[in-house]
Amino acid sequence: MQYPANKQVIILNPKSDHLRMDPHKFALWLFLGTTFMLFAALTSAYIVKKGDGNWLDYELPQALWYSTALILVSSAAMHWAYRAASRDKTEHVKIGILSTLVLGVGFLGMQYYSWAGLVAQNVYFVGNPAGSFLYVFTGLHGLHLVSGIIFLAVVSVNAFRMKIHSGRLRQIEMCATYWHFLGILWVYLFVFLLMNH
Amino acid sequence: MAPEAQATLHEADAHGRDHEHEHHEDSFIRKYIFCTDHKMIAKQFLITGIFWAVIGGALSLIFRLQLGFPEMDLAWLQPVLGKWITAQGKLDPEFYLALVTMHGTIMVFFVLTAGLSGTFSNLLIPLQIGARDMASGFMNMLSYWLFFVSSVIMFGSMFVEAGPAGGGWVIYPPLSALPQAIKGSGLGMTLWLVSMVFFIASSLIGSINYISTVINMRTRGMKFSRLPLTIWAFFLTAIVGILSFPVLFAAALLLVFDRSFGTSFYLSEIYIGGEALPNVGGSPLLFQHLFWFLGHPEVYIVLLPALGITSEIIATNARKPIFGYKAMIGSMMGIAFLSFVVWAHHMFVSGMNPFLGSIFMLLTLIIAVPSAVKVFNYLTTLWRGNLVFTPAMLFSIGLLSFFISGGLTGIFLGNSAIDVQLHDTYFVVAHFHLVMGSAAFFGMVAGVYHWFPKLYGRMMDKKLGYLHFWITFIGAYMVFFPMHYIGIAGFPRRYYSFTNFDAFSSFADLNSFVSVAAVATVGVQFIFLFNFFYSMYRGRRAPKNPWRSNTLEWTTPVNPGHGNWEGEIPAVHRWPYDYSKPGASEDFIPQNVPLSETPESNLPHEKKALESKKK
Ligand code: HEM
Ligand SMILES: [Cu+2]
């Protein structure tokens, strides 16, 4: 007998007797692990380099505080949207997702603005690694955030098509996981910078 | 979740049955190119890996000719190498550096990482855990195609005007960061970095898929304590990969910034041609830390799958349970963990803090313990077994031999005081070509001989296999053993020629000997290639379970279709190593045979388990 290449068939083996997770969610977690390792590597590189001397001192731009606040609020909005979805309050889902999206874009804008704060201090991407590191942290995190925003956009389109409700939570759940992760990642980077500055 | 899923499954099953009579031929493109079937993807990785092995081997022969016969007229290579052979018939010295760089890169990443893990993780994970395919067929396909793109870029880099990357496979800056330093730091280096970005993405996606498959898709009864050691090895390898490849990505990213945007992460106070570069504040040591944080785990990413394959083959062909199954798993976990905390043993003489050096020396020597446990367990599995010397078995025993002889020299190198003398000499080259190069290569070849029947439904020729084994085994030792002496004598690696040093002239013969042996050893690999491709079409048809093995892949049809098993997936009732169990009528009991069918051979605790189940 030929088995159709249908994913559901392939993934599930209903008679199995041990615990298993949704493979997509699980893969997302593993992906988060790789992203975390990337930033762990960069932040340890920062420490090693700093310990090495020849380090430039400058002020962390004020804008980073605001962007941190923005991303924390966006995480709350995301959570609210998710809770609304699991209770089938579709209107709230739409509002929640859209506000998350807007706050996310605002965060990106604020991060960009923080670069202006660096430039004002004569700290450029090209120059002493102390400054370059900050650009790399914010830039790379920003890139991940762009992917998060795309994910949010997909979810909001589905929200408007009424495709997100308590029976179909997986997508918004994965989106929420990713978004919270990006928030936590930023907080980690920010606290790290505050402490090692 | 579960009821919904079950419903879908029944629906799909019914659907499958409806179409039973319809003749379904996948189009060529779906079947061979954009294929999501794990078995086909395994073959794609294998064939691509073989292609790279041929290229990597050929490159090594060119520089071995240079090293063994520095006076030789190489004009006959001009048709292939073009301008890299000078008018005097000599190899261009900068091209020599490019050759060793590409050889190392190709062998470590493209052959022994992608070729080995890619082939066997893909083939064996679903088949041995009892799954119809990988967790995500799409991601699996993506992983191969990213590898393919990476391969195309790396291959292309060999044909650019200034030649491919030339800074060694470890691409240390500042050499690799400054395009004006050597030809090999120009466009070739850029392409190297771009290619590796694709490679890293491919490897990460592959690993994510392997891990989710092993965790989520095992068949009934396939507990972790019943997984074949192959699967344990692939699983741990994937975890190591997920934790270490992102770090290489970080290292490469910063290098890209230094090269193309003018940042100074790795650069400081450099003068070229008397002129100071603007870069200040960076540190080349930083790169070494980042690189070896991947680099050391990487050597185990290469070796662990080979060890897993070997465990399986040795147990099957010794007709004995693997000795110390739990200890094997424990030592693999130990190796996987320790591989993250020893990286600085590659940097003893880099100017790193010597106190830090002693800590890394201690940690490095501790890794010898789990390695020794593994060796001991292999030997005790072989001890007094009913050995069946298939080619796969011989290659596995060969791996064991290399693992021992190469591992011993690791202990020398791990002592920072001795490493001061031996670092960057041919002693290191000898060490890692035995313990990593030859061992992993033998593991890969053993795997091909052993699972060829599952890949192509036919058997490879045994006699050619024996011939291939003996010449390769002896040849590898003839190539790499003398390198220990050459290294102790002080020959540095990556030198184009030693003819200017009087002190080295007495070793010229030994170097020629090594080169001759290398040509012969690479040459006989064509026996293997012939055997491989010939058997693919003309080999003897394989029986269902040719090695009388216990694992699940041999319960599938000889040529398994999409979905692997016709009908239900077998459940698992025992560990995979019930070979020569006392009382049993056969000398093997496959994993899917229930305990209730083997009352004559059940052990006391199995009887008890059976009884408690009945109640
Ligand atoms: C007993 C265990 C081992 C110890 C103590 C050990 C120790 C070392 C040390 C100290 C070096 C650095 C030498 C130098 O550059 O001066 C080295 C190099 C190397 N080792 Fe091992 N090793 C061991 C096992 C292995 C294994 C199992 C593999 C691979 C599967 C491996 C692969 C390599 C490679 C590839 C290099 C050279 C990298 C390069 O510089 O290009 N080693 N080893
Ligand atoms: Cu190492």
Side-chain angles (χ1 to χ4, degrees), chain B residues 169 292 299 303 346 364 410 413 419 423 431-432 435-436 493:
Chain B
W169 79 279
W292 285 113
V299 305
L303 191 68
H346 296 272
T364 298
L413 293 170
D419 189 57
H423 177 67
H431 159 68
F432 72 77
V435 76
M436 175 168 90
R493 49 195 290 214

Side-chain angles (χ1 to χ4, degrees), chain B residues 339-458:
Chain B
S339 72
F340 283 103
V341 292
V342 300
W343 76 88
H345 65 212
H346 296 272
M347 302 165 58
F348 284 144
V349 294
S350 66
M352 180 183 72
N353 182 337
F355 176 69
L356 213 57
S358 335
I359 294 176
F360 277 103
M361 175 170 120
L362 181 72
L363 290 166
T364 298
L365 295 179
I366 293 176
I367 248 197
V369 177
S371 309
V373 170
K374 285 199 76 84
V375 166
F376 177 76
N377 285 355
Y378 284 127
L379 292 177
T380 37
T381 305
L382 287 168
W383 180 251
R384 308 183 78 179
N386 290 322
L387 305 189
V388 185
F389 289 106
T390 61
M393 178 69 158
L394 288 175
F395 275 97
S396 300
I397 296 173
L399 176 148
L400 189 54
S401 161
F402 292 128
F403 188 49
I404 297 172
S405 55
L408 284 177
T409 52
I411 298 176
F412 293 37
L413 293 170
N415 288 280
S416 54
I418 302 177
D419 189 57
V420 172
Q421 159 76 11
L422 294 174
H423 177 67
D424 255 351
T425 67
Y426 273 83
F427 193 88
V428 178
V429 178
H431 159 68
F432 72 77
H433 275 90
L434 286 178
V435 76
M436 175 168 90
S438 303
F441 179 76
F442 270 48
M444 183 169 167
V445 172
V448 173
Y449 278 109
H450 193 78
W451 279 288
F452 193 85
K454 202 75 265 163
L455 279 163
Y456 296 105
R458 292 171 185 271

